[in-house]
Amino acid sequence: MAFLNNLGKKISDAAGTATEKAKDFAETTKLNSAISSEEKQINQYFIEIGKMIFEQDKDNPDSPMADLIGKIVNSYETIDVLKRKIEEIKLDNN
């Protein structure tokens, strides 16, 4: 009988441990999701700051961001050229 009691206790302990681990896993998953959400929000704030700095400094050649601003301006110009090419293709196909 002692054997069955010990076996029952071991099974009960294992089930309790598994339940606790499942709860911990669920809580950890929820916390990691919250962290990810906050990190996405921070990245959005960085984007907003960058846009504000770009708008403030885009005409200032002495800006400490002048090199990066120049790269952004060049990318905008490239996008404009590419969009014009798309429009030309659309017009040629009509």
Coordinates of all heavy atoms in Angstrom, one line a residue:
M1 N 0.8 -1.2 0.0 CA 0.0 0.0 0.0 C 0.9 1.3 0.0 O 0.5 2.2 -0.6 CB -0.9 0.0 1.2 CG -2.1 0.9 1.1 SD -3.1 0.5 -0.2 CE -4.6 0.6 0.5
A2 N 2.0 1.2 0.7 CA 2.9 2.3 0.8 C 3.4 2.7 -0.6 O 3.6 3.9 -1.0 CB 4.0 2.1 1.7
F3 N 3.6 1.6 -1.4 CA 4.1 1.8 -2.8 C 3.1 2.7 -3.6 O 3.4 3.6 -4.3 CB 4.3 0.5 -3.5 CG 4.6 0.6 -5.0 CD1 5.8 1.1 -5.4 CD2 3.6 0.3 -5.9 CE1 6.1 1.2 -6.8 CE2 3.9 0.4 -7.2 CZ 5.1 0.9 -7.7
L4 N 1.8 2.3 -3.5 CA 0.7 3.0 -4.2 C 0.6 4.5 -3.7 O 0.4 5.4 -4.5 CB -0.6 2.3 -4.1 CG -0.7 1.0 -4.8 CD1 -2.1 0.3 -4.6 CD2 -0.5 1.1 -6.3
N5 N 0.7 4.7 -2.4 CA 0.7 6.0 -1.8 C 1.8 6.9 -2.4 O 1.6 8.0 -2.7 CB 0.7 6.0 -0.3 CG -0.6 5.5 0.3 OD1 -1.6 5.6 -0.4 ND2 -0.6 5.0 1.5
N6 N 3.0 6.3 -2.4 CA 4.2 7.0 -2.9 C 4.0 7.3 -4.4 O 4.4 8.4 -4.8 CB 5.5 6.2 -2.7 CG 6.0 6.2 -1.3 OD1 5.6 7.2 -0.5 ND2 6.8 5.3 -0.9
L7 N 3.5 6.4 -5.1 CA 3.3 6.6 -6.6 C 2.3 7.7 -6.8 O 2.5 8.6 -7.6 CB 2.8 5.3 -7.2 CG 2.6 5.3 -8.7 CD1 3.8 5.7 -9.5 CD2 2.0 4.0 -9.2
G8 N 1.2 7.6 -6.0 CA 0.2 8.7 -6.1 C 0.7 10.1 -5.8 O 0.4 11.1 -6.4
K9 N 1.6 10.1 -4.8 CA 2.2 11.4 -4.4 C 3.1 11.9 -5.5 O 3.1 13.1 -5.8 CB 2.9 11.2 -3.1 CG 3.6 12.5 -2.6 CD 4.2 12.4 -1.2 CE 4.9 13.6 -0.7 NZ 4.9 14.8 -1.4
K10 N 3.9 11.0 -6.1 CA 4.8 11.4 -7.1 C 4.0 11.9 -8.4 O 4.4 12.9 -9.0 CB 5.7 10.2 -7.5 CG 6.8 9.9 -6.5 CD 7.7 8.8 -6.9 CE 8.7 8.5 -5.8 NZ 9.6 7.5 -6.2
I11 N 2.9 11.2 -8.7 CA 2.1 11.7 -9.8 C 1.5 13.0 -9.5 O 1.5 13.9 -10.4 CB 1.0 10.6 -10.1 CG1 1.7 9.4 -10.7 CG2 0.0 11.2 -11.1 CD1 0.7 8.2 -10.9
S12 N 1.0 13.2 -8.3 CA 0.4 14.5 -7.9 C 1.4 15.6 -7.9 O 1.2 16.7 -8.4 CB -0.2 14.3 -6.5 OG -0.7 15.6 -6.1
D13 N 2.6 15.3 -7.4 CA 3.7 16.3 -7.4 C 4.1 16.7 -8.9 O 4.3 17.9 -9.2 CB 4.9 15.8 -6.7 CG 4.7 15.7 -5.2 OD1 3.7 16.3 -4.7 OD2 5.6 15.1 -4.5
A14 N 4.2 15.7 -9.8 CA 4.5 15.9 -11.2 C 3.5 16.8 -11.8 O 3.8 17.7 -12.6 CB 4.8 14.6 -11.9
A15 N 2.2 16.5 -11.6 CA 1.1 17.2 -12.2 C 1.1 18.7 -11.7 O 0.9 19.6 -12.4 CB -0.2 16.6 -11.8
G16 N 1.4 18.9 -10.4 CA 1.5 20.2 -9.8 C 2.7 21.0 -10.4 O 2.5 22.2 -10.8
T17 N 3.8 20.3 -10.6 CA 4.9 21.0 -11.3 C 4.6 21.3 -12.7 O 5.0 22.4 -13.1 CB 6.2 20.0 -11.2 OG1 6.5 19.8 -9.8 CG2 7.4 20.7 -11.8
A18 N 4.0 20.4 -13.4 CA 3.6 20.7 -14.8 C 2.7 21.9 -14.9 O 2.8 22.8 -15.8 CB 3.0 19.5 -15.5
T19 N 1.7 21.9 -14.0 CA 0.7 23.1 -14.0 C 1.4 24.4 -13.7 O 1.2 25.4 -14.4 CB -0.4 22.8 -13.0 OG1 -1.0 21.6 -13.3 CG2 -1.4 23.9 -12.9
E20 N 2.3 24.4 -12.7 CA 3.1 25.6 -12.4 C 3.9 26.0 -13.6 O 4.0 27.2 -13.8 CB 3.9 25.3 -11.1 CG 4.5 26.6 -10.6 CD 3.5 27.6 -10.1 OE1 2.4 27.2 -9.6 OE2 3.8 28.8 -10.2
K21 N 4.6 25.1 -14.2 CA 5.4 25.5 -15.4 C 4.6 26.0 -16.5 O 5.0 27.0 -17.2 CB 6.2 24.3 -15.9 CG 7.4 23.9 -14.9 CD 8.2 22.8 -15.5 CE 9.4 22.5 -14.5 NZ 10.3 21.6 -15.1
A22 N 3.4 25.5 -16.7 CA 2.5 26.0 -17.7 C 2.0 27.4 -17.4 O 2.0 28.3 -18.3 CB 1.3 25.1 -17.9
K23 N 1.7 27.7 -16.1 CA 1.4 29.0 -15.7 C 2.5 30.0 -15.9 O 2.3 31.1 -16.4 CB 0.9 29.0 -14.3 CG -0.4 28.4 -14.0 CD -0.8 28.5 -12.5 CE -2.1 27.8 -12.3 NZ -2.4 27.7 -10.8
D24 N 3.7 29.6 -15.5 CA 4.9 30.4 -15.7 C 5.2 30.7 -17.2 O 5.5 31.8 -17.6 CB 6.2 29.7 -15.1 CG 6.2 29.7 -13.6 OD1 5.3 30.4 -13.0 OD2 7.0 29.0 -13.0
F25 N 5.0 29.7 -18.0 CA 5.2 29.9 -19.5 C 4.2 30.9 -20.0 O 4.5 31.8 -20.8 CB 5.1 28.5 -20.2 CG 5.2 28.6 -21.7 CD1 6.5 28.8 -22.2 CD2 4.1 28.6 -22.5 CE1 6.6 29.0 -23.6 CE2 4.3 28.7 -23.9 CZ 5.5 28.9 -24.4
A26 N 2.9 30.7 -19.6 CA 1.9 31.7 -20.1 C 2.2 33.1 -19.6 O 2.0 34.0 -20.4 CB 0.5 31.2 -19.6
E27 N 2.6 33.3 -18.4 CA 2.9 34.6 -17.9 C 4.1 35.2 -18.6 O 4.2 36.3 -19.0 CB 3.2 34.5 -16.4 CG 3.5 35.9 -15.7 CD 2.3 36.8 -15.7 OE1 1.1 36.3 -15.9 OE2 2.5 38.0 -15.5
T28 N 5.2 34.3 -18.8 CA 6.4 34.8 -19.5 C 6.0 35.2 -20.9 O 6.5 36.2 -21.4 CB 7.4 33.7 -19.6 OG1 7.8 33.3 -18.2 CG2 8.7 34.1 -20.3
T29 N 5.1 34.5 -21.6 CA 4.7 34.8 -23.0 C 4.0 36.1 -23.0 O 4.2 37.0 -23.8 CB 3.8 33.7 -23.5 OG1 4.6 32.4 -23.5 CG2 3.3 34.0 -24.9
K30 N 3.1 36.3 -22.0 CA 2.4 37.6 -21.9 C 3.3 38.8 -21.7 O 3.2 39.8 -22.3 CB 1.3 37.5 -20.8 CG 0.4 38.7 -20.7 CD -0.7 38.7 -19.7 CE -0.8 37.7 -18.7 NZ -1.8 37.9 -17.7
L31 N 4.3 38.6 -20.8 CA 5.3 39.6 -20.5 C 6.1 39.9 -21.7 O 6.4 41.1 -22.0 CB 6.1 39.3 -19.3 CG 5.4 39.2 -18.0 CD1 6.2 38.6 -16.9 CD2 4.9 40.6 -17.6
N32 N 6.6 38.9 -22.4 CA 7.4 39.1 -23.6 C 6.6 39.9 -24.7 O 7.1 40.7 -25.4 CB 7.9 37.8 -24.2 CG 9.1 37.3 -23.5 OD1 9.9 38.1 -23.0 ND2 9.2 36.0 -23.3
S33 N 5.3 39.6 -24.8 CA 4.4 40.3 -25.7 C 4.3 41.8 -25.3 O 4.3 42.6 -26.2 CB 3.0 39.6 -25.7 OG 2.2 40.3 -26.6
A34 N 4.2 42.0 -24.1 CA 4.1 43.4 -23.6 C 5.4 44.1 -23.9 O 5.4 45.3 -24.3 CB 3.8 43.5 -22.1
I35 N 6.6 43.5 -23.7 CA 7.9 44.1 -24.0 C 7.9 44.4 -25.5 O 8.4 45.5 -25.9 CB 9.0 43.1 -23.6 CG1 9.1 43.1 -22.1 CG2 10.3 43.6 -24.2 CD1 10.0 42.0 -21.6
S36 N 7.5 43.4 -26.3 CA 7.6 43.6 -27.8 C 6.7 44.8 -28.2 O 7.1 45.6 -29.0 CB 7.1 42.4 -28.5 OG 7.1 42.6 -29.9
S37 N 5.5 44.9 -27.6 CA 4.7 46.1 -27.9 C 5.3 47.4 -27.5 O 5.2 48.4 -28.2 CB 3.3 45.9 -27.1 OG 2.5 47.0 -27.3
E38 N 5.9 47.5 -26.3 CA 6.6 48.7 -25.9 C 7.8 49.0 -26.8 O 8.0 50.2 -27.2 CB 7.1 48.6 -24.5 CG 6.0 48.6 -23.4 CD 5.2 49.8 -23.4 OE1 5.7 50.9 -23.6 OE2 4.0 49.7 -23.2
E39 N 8.5 48.0 -27.3 CA 9.6 48.2 -28.2 C 9.2 48.8 -29.5 O 9.8 49.7 -30.1 CB 10.4 46.9 -28.4 CG 11.3 46.6 -27.2 CD 11.9 45.2 -27.3 OE1 11.5 44.4 -28.1 OE2 12.9 45.0 -26.5
K40 N 8.0 48.3 -30.0 CA 7.5 48.8 -31.2 C 7.1 50.3 -31.1 O 7.2 51.1 -32.0 CB 6.3 48.0 -31.7 CG 6.6 46.6 -32.2 CD 5.4 45.8 -32.6 CE 5.8 44.4 -33.0 NZ 4.6 43.5 -33.3
Q41 N 6.5 50.6 -29.9 CA 6.1 52.0 -29.6 C 7.3 52.9 -29.6 O 7.3 54.0 -30.1 CB 5.3 52.1 -28.3 CG 4.7 53.4 -28.1 CD 3.7 53.8 -29.1 OE1 2.8 53.1 -29.4 NE2 3.9 55.0 -29.7
I42 N 8.4 52.4 -29.0 CA 9.6 53.2 -28.9 C 10.1 53.4 -30.3 O 10.6 54.6 -30.6 CB 10.7 52.5 -28.0 CG1 10.3 52.5 -26.6 CG2 12.1 53.1 -28.3 CD1 11.1 51.6 -25.7
N43 N 10.2 52.4 -31.1 CA 10.6 52.6 -32.5 C 9.8 53.6 -33.3 O 10.3 54.4 -34.1 CB 10.6 51.2 -33.3 CG 11.8 50.4 -32.8 OD1 12.8 50.9 -32.4 ND2 11.6 49.1 -32.9
Q44 N 8.5 53.6 -33.0 CA 7.6 54.6 -33.6 C 8.0 56.0 -33.2 O 8.0 57.0 -34.0 CB 6.1 54.3 -33.3 CG 5.2 55.2 -34.1 CD 5.3 55.1 -35.6 OE1 5.5 54.0 -36.2 NE2 5.3 56.2 -36.3
Y45 N 8.3 56.2 -31.9 CA 8.7 57.5 -31.4 C 10.0 57.9 -32.1 O 10.2 59.1 -32.4 CB 8.9 57.4 -29.9 CG 7.6 57.2 -29.1 CD1 7.6 56.5 -27.9 CD2 6.4 57.8 -29.5 CE1 6.4 56.3 -27.2 CE2 5.2 57.6 -28.8 CZ 5.3 56.9 -27.6 OH 4.1 56.7 -26.9
F46 N 10.9 57.0 -32.2 CA 12.2 57.3 -32.9 C 11.9 57.8 -34.3 O 12.5 58.7 -34.8 CB 13.1 56.1 -32.9 CG 13.9 55.9 -31.7 CD1 14.0 54.6 -31.1 CD2 14.6 56.9 -31.1 CE1 14.7 54.4 -29.9 CE2 15.3 56.7 -29.9 CZ 15.4 55.5 -29.3
I47 N 11.0 57.1 -35.0 CA 10.7 57.5 -36.4 C 10.1 58.9 -36.4 O 10.5 59.8 -37.2 CB 9.7 56.5 -37.0 CG1 10.4 55.2 -37.3 CG2 9.0 57.1 -38.3 CD1 9.5 54.1 -37.6
E48 N 9.2 59.2 -35.4 CA 8.6 60.6 -35.3 C 9.7 61.6 -35.0 O 9.7 62.7 -35.6 CB 7.5 60.6 -34.3 CG 6.3 59.8 -34.7 CD 5.3 59.8 -33.6 OE1 5.2 60.8 -32.8 OE2 4.5 58.8 -33.5
I49 N 10.6 61.3 -34.1 CA 11.7 62.2 -33.8 C 12.6 62.5 -35.1 O 12.9 63.6 -35.4 CB 12.6 61.7 -32.7 CG1 11.8 61.7 -31.4 CG2 13.9 62.5 -32.6 CD1 12.5 61.0 -30.2
G50 N 12.9 61.4 -35.8 CA 13.7 61.5 -37.0 C 13.0 62.4 -38.1 O 13.6 63.2 -38.7
K51 N 11.7 62.2 -38.2 CA 11.0 63.0 -39.2 C 11.0 64.5 -38.8 O 11.1 65.4 -39.6 CB 9.5 62.5 -39.3 CG 9.4 61.2 -40.1 CD 8.0 60.8 -40.2 CE 7.8 59.5 -40.9 NZ 6.5 59.0 -41.0
M52 N 10.8 64.8 -37.5 CA 10.8 66.1 -37.0 C 12.2 66.8 -37.3 O 12.3 67.9 -37.7 CB 10.5 66.2 -35.5 CG 9.0 65.8 -35.2 SD 8.7 65.7 -33.5 CE 8.8 67.4 -33.0
I53 N 13.3 66.0 -37.0 CA 14.6 66.6 -37.2 C 14.9 66.8 -38.7 O 15.4 67.8 -39.1 CB 15.7 65.6 -36.6 CG1 15.6 65.7 -35.0 CG2 17.1 66.0 -37.0 CD1 16.5 64.6 -34.3
F54 N 14.4 65.9 -39.5 CA 14.6 66.0 -40.9 C 13.9 67.3 -41.4 O 14.5 68.1 -42.1 CB 14.0 64.8 -41.7 CG 14.0 65.0 -43.1 CD1 15.1 64.8 -43.9 CD2 12.8 65.4 -43.8 CE1 15.1 64.9 -45.2 CE2 12.8 65.5 -45.2 CZ 14.0 65.3 -45.9
E55 N 12.6 67.5 -41.0 CA 11.9 68.7 -41.4 C 12.6 70.0 -40.9 O 12.6 71.0 -41.6 CB 10.4 68.6 -40.9 CG 9.6 67.6 -41.7 CD 9.5 67.9 -43.2 OE1 9.4 69.1 -43.6 OE2 9.6 66.9 -43.9
Q56 N 13.1 70.0 -39.7 CA 13.7 71.1 -39.1 C 15.1 71.4 -39.8 O 15.4 72.6 -39.9 CB 14.0 71.0 -37.6 CG 12.7 71.0 -36.8 CD 13.0 70.7 -35.3 OE1 14.1 70.4 -34.9 NE2 12.0 70.7 -34.5
D57 N 15.8 70.4 -40.2 CA 17.2 70.6 -40.6 C 17.4 70.4 -42.1 O 18.6 70.5 -42.6 CB 18.1 69.7 -39.8 CG 18.3 70.1 -38.4 OD1 17.7 71.1 -38.0 OD2 19.1 69.4 -37.7
K58 N 16.4 70.1 -42.9 CA 16.6 69.7 -44.3 C 17.2 70.8 -45.1 O 17.9 70.5 -46.1 CB 15.3 69.2 -44.9 CG 14.2 70.2 -45.1 CD 13.0 69.5 -45.7 CE 11.9 70.6 -45.8 NZ 10.7 69.9 -46.3
D59 N 17.1 72.1 -44.7 CA 17.6 73.2 -45.5 C 18.8 73.8 -44.8 O 19.3 74.8 -45.1 CB 16.6 74.2 -45.7 CG 15.4 73.7 -46.5 OD1 15.7 73.0 -47.5 OD2 14.2 74.1 -46.2
N60 N 19.4 73.1 -43.8 CA 20.5 73.6 -43.0 C 21.8 72.8 -43.3 O 21.9 71.7 -42.8 CB 20.2 73.5 -41.5 CG 21.3 74.0 -40.6 OD1 22.4 74.5 -41.1 ND2 21.2 73.9 -39.3
P61 N 22.6 73.3 -44.2 CA 23.8 72.5 -44.5 C 24.8 72.3 -43.4 O 25.7 71.4 -43.4 CB 24.5 73.3 -45.6 CG 23.9 74.7 -45.5 CD 22.6 74.5 -44.8
D62 N 24.6 73.1 -42.3 CA 25.5 73.0 -41.1 C 25.0 72.0 -40.1 O 25.6 71.9 -39.0 CB 25.8 74.4 -40.5 CG 26.5 75.3 -41.5 OD1 27.3 74.8 -42.2 OD2 26.2 76.5 -41.4
S63 N 23.8 71.4 -40.3 CA 23.2 70.5 -39.4 C 24.2 69.3 -39.1 O 24.8 68.8 -40.1 CB 21.9 70.0 -39.9 OG 21.4 68.9 -39.2
P64 N 24.2 68.8 -37.9 CA 25.0 67.6 -37.6 C 24.4 66.4 -38.3 O 25.1 65.4 -38.5 CB 24.9 67.5 -36.1 CG 23.9 68.4 -35.6 CD 23.6 69.4 -36.7
M65 N 23.2 66.5 -38.8 CA 22.5 65.4 -39.5 C 22.6 65.6 -41.0 O 21.9 64.9 -41.8 CB 21.1 65.4 -39.1 CG 20.8 65.1 -37.6 SD 21.4 63.4 -37.2 CE 22.4 63.8 -35.8
A66 N 23.3 66.6 -41.5 CA 23.3 67.0 -42.9 C 23.6 65.8 -43.8 O 23.0 65.6 -44.9 CB 24.3 68.1 -43.2
D67 N 24.6 64.9 -43.5 CA 24.9 63.8 -44.3 C 23.7 62.8 -44.4 O 23.4 62.4 -45.5 CB 26.1 63.0 -43.7 CG 26.6 61.9 -44.6 OD1 26.7 62.1 -45.8 OD2 26.8 60.8 -44.1
L68 N 23.1 62.5 -43.3 CA 21.9 61.6 -43.4 C 20.8 62.3 -44.1 O 20.0 61.6 -44.8 CB 21.5 61.2 -41.9 CG 22.5 60.2 -41.2 CD1 22.1 60.0 -39.8 CD2 22.6 58.9 -42.0
I69 N 20.6 63.5 -43.8 CA 19.5 64.3 -44.5 C 19.7 64.2 -46.0 O 18.8 64.0 -46.8 CB 19.4 65.7 -44.0 CG1 18.8 65.7 -42.5 CG2 18.5 66.6 -44.9 CD1 18.8 67.0 -41.8
G70 N 21.0 64.4 -46.4 CA 21.3 64.3 -47.9 C 20.9 63.0 -48.4 O 20.4 62.9 -49.6
K71 N 21.2 61.9 -47.7 CA 20.9 60.6 -48.1 C 19.4 60.4 -48.3 O 18.9 59.8 -49.2 CB 21.5 59.5 -47.2 CG 23.0 59.4 -47.2 CD 23.5 58.5 -46.2 CE 25.0 58.4 -46.3 NZ 25.6 57.5 -45.3
I72 N 18.6 60.9 -47.3 CA 17.2 60.9 -47.4 C 16.7 61.6 -48.6 O 15.8 61.1 -49.4 CB 16.5 61.4 -46.1 CG1 16.8 60.4 -45.0 CG2 15.0 61.5 -46.3 CD1 16.5 61.0 -43.6
V73 N 17.2 62.8 -48.8 CA 16.8 63.6 -50.0 C 17.1 62.9 -51.3 O 16.3 62.8 -52.2 CB 17.4 65.0 -50.0 CG1 17.3 65.8 -51.3 CG2 16.9 65.8 -48.8
N74 N 18.3 62.3 -51.4 CA 18.6 61.5 -52.6 C 17.7 60.3 -52.8 O 17.3 60.0 -53.9 CB 20.1 61.0 -52.5 CG 21.1 62.1 -52.6 OD1 20.8 63.1 -53.2 ND2 22.3 61.8 -52.1
S75 N 17.3 59.7 -51.7 CA 16.3 58.6 -51.8 C 15.0 59.1 -52.3 O 14.3 58.4 -53.1 CB 16.1 57.9 -50.5 OG 17.3 57.1 -50.1
Y76 N 14.5 60.2 -51.8 CA 13.3 60.8 -52.3 C 13.4 61.1 -53.8 O 12.4 60.9 -54.5 CB 12.9 62.1 -51.5 CG 12.2 61.9 -50.2 CD1 12.6 62.6 -49.1 CD2 11.1 61.0 -50.1 CE1 11.9 62.4 -47.9 CE2 10.5 60.8 -48.9 CZ 10.9 61.5 -47.8 OH 10.2 61.4 -46.6
E77 N 14.5 61.6 -54.2 CA 14.7 61.9 -55.6 C 14.7 60.7 -56.4 O 14.1 60.6 -57.5 CB 16.0 62.7 -55.8 CG 15.9 64.1 -55.3 CD 17.3 64.8 -55.2 OE1 18.3 64.2 -55.5 OE2 17.3 66.0 -54.9
T78 N 15.3 59.6 -56.0 CA 15.3 58.3 -56.7 C 13.9 57.8 -56.8 O 13.4 57.3 -57.8 CB 16.2 57.3 -55.9 OG1 17.5 57.8 -55.9 CG2 16.2 56.0 -56.6
I79 N 13.1 57.9 -55.7 CA 11.7 57.5 -55.7 C 10.9 58.2 -56.7 O 10.1 57.7 -57.5 CB 11.1 57.6 -54.3 CG1 11.7 56.6 -53.3 CG2 9.5 57.5 -54.4 CD1 11.3 56.8 -51.9
D80 N 11.1 59.6 -56.8 CA 10.4 60.4 -57.8 C 10.8 59.9 -59.3 O 9.9 59.8 -60.1 CB 10.8 61.9 -57.7 CG 10.1 62.5 -56.5 OD1 9.1 61.9 -55.9 OD2 10.6 63.5 -56.0
V81 N 12.0 59.6 -59.5 CA 12.5 59.1 -60.8 C 11.8 57.8 -61.1 O 11.2 57.6 -62.2 CB 14.0 59.0 -60.9 CG1 14.4 58.3 -62.2 CG2 14.6 60.4 -60.9
L82 N 11.8 56.9 -60.2 CA 11.2 55.6 -60.4 C 9.6 55.7 -60.6 O 9.1 55.0 -61.5 CB 11.4 54.7 -59.2 CG 12.9 54.4 -59.0 CD1 13.1 53.6 -57.6 CD2 13.5 53.5 -60.1
K83 N 9.0 56.6 -59.9 CA 7.6 56.8 -60.1 C 7.3 57.4 -61.5 O 6.3 57.0 -62.1 CB 7.0 57.7 -59.0 CG 6.8 57.0 -57.7 CD 6.3 58.0 -56.6 CE 6.0 57.3 -55.3 NZ 5.4 58.2 -54.3
R84 N 8.1 58.3 -61.9 CA 7.9 58.8 -63.3 C 8.1 57.7 -64.3 O 7.3 57.7 -65.3 CB 8.9 60.0 -63.5 CG 8.5 61.3 -62.9 CD 9.3 62.5 -63.5 NE 10.7 62.4 -63.2 CZ 11.3 62.9 -62.2 NH1 10.6 63.5 -61.2 NH2 12.6 62.8 -62.0
K85 N 9.0 56.8 -64.1 CA 9.2 55.7 -65.1 C 8.0 54.8 -65.1 O 7.6 54.3 -66.1 CB 10.5 54.9 -64.7 CG 11.8 55.6 -65.0 CD 13.0 54.7 -64.7 CE 14.3 55.5 -65.0 NZ 15.5 54.7 -64.7
I86 N 7.4 54.6 -63.9 CA 6.2 53.8 -63.8 C 5.1 54.4 -64.6 O 4.4 53.8 -65.4 CB 5.8 53.5 -62.4 CG1 6.8 52.6 -61.7 CG2 4.4 53.0 -62.3 CD1 6.6 52.5 -60.2
E87 N 4.9 55.7 -64.4 CA 3.9 56.5 -65.2 C 4.1 56.4 -66.7 O 3.2 56.3 -67.5 CB 3.8 57.9 -64.7 CG 3.2 58.1 -63.3 CD 1.8 57.5 -63.2 OE1 1.0 57.8 -64.2 OE2 1.5 56.8 -62.2
E88 N 5.4 56.5 -67.1 CA 5.7 56.4 -68.5 C 5.3 55.1 -69.1 O 4.7 55.0 -70.2 CB 7.2 56.7 -68.8 CG 7.6 58.1 -68.6 CD 9.1 58.3 -68.6 OE1 9.8 57.4 -69.0 OE2 9.6 59.4 -68.3
I89 N 5.6 54.0 -68.3 CA 5.2 52.7 -68.8 C 3.7 52.6 -68.9 O 3.2 52.0 -69.9 CB 5.8 51.6 -67.8 CG1 7.3 51.6 -67.9 CG2 5.2 50.2 -68.0 CD1 8.0 50.8 -66.8
K90 N 3.0 53.1 -67.9 CA 1.5 53.0 -67.9 C 1.0 53.8 -69.1 O 0.1 53.3 -69.8 CB 0.9 53.6 -66.6 CG 1.1 52.7 -65.5 CD 0.5 53.3 -64.2 CE 0.6 52.4 -63.0 NZ 0.0 53.0 -61.8
L91 N 1.6 55.0 -69.4 CA 1.1 55.7 -70.6 C 1.4 55.0 -71.9 O 0.6 55.1 -72.8 CB 1.7 57.1 -70.5 CG 1.2 58.1 -69.4 CD1 2.0 59.4 -69.4 CD2 -0.3 58.4 -69.6
D92 N 2.6 54.4 -72.0 CA 2.9 53.7 -73.2 C 2.0 52.5 -73.5 O 1.9 52.1 -74.6 CB 4.4 53.3 -73.2 CG 5.4 54.4 -73.3 OD1 4.9 55.5 -73.7 OD2 6.6 54.2 -72.9
N93 N 1.5 51.9 -72.4 CA 0.7 50.7 -72.6 C -0.8 51.1 -72.8 O -1.6 50.2 -73.0 CB 0.8 49.8 -71.4 CG 2.1 49.1 -71.3 OD1 2.7 48.8 -72.4 ND2 2.7 48.9 -70.1
N94 N -1.1 52.3 -72.8 CA -2.6 52.7 -73.1 C -2.8 53.0 -74.5 O -2.3 53.3 -75.4 CB -3.0 53.9 -72.2 CG -3.2 53.5 -70.7 OD1 -3.5 52.3 -70.5 ND2 -2.9 54.4 -69.8

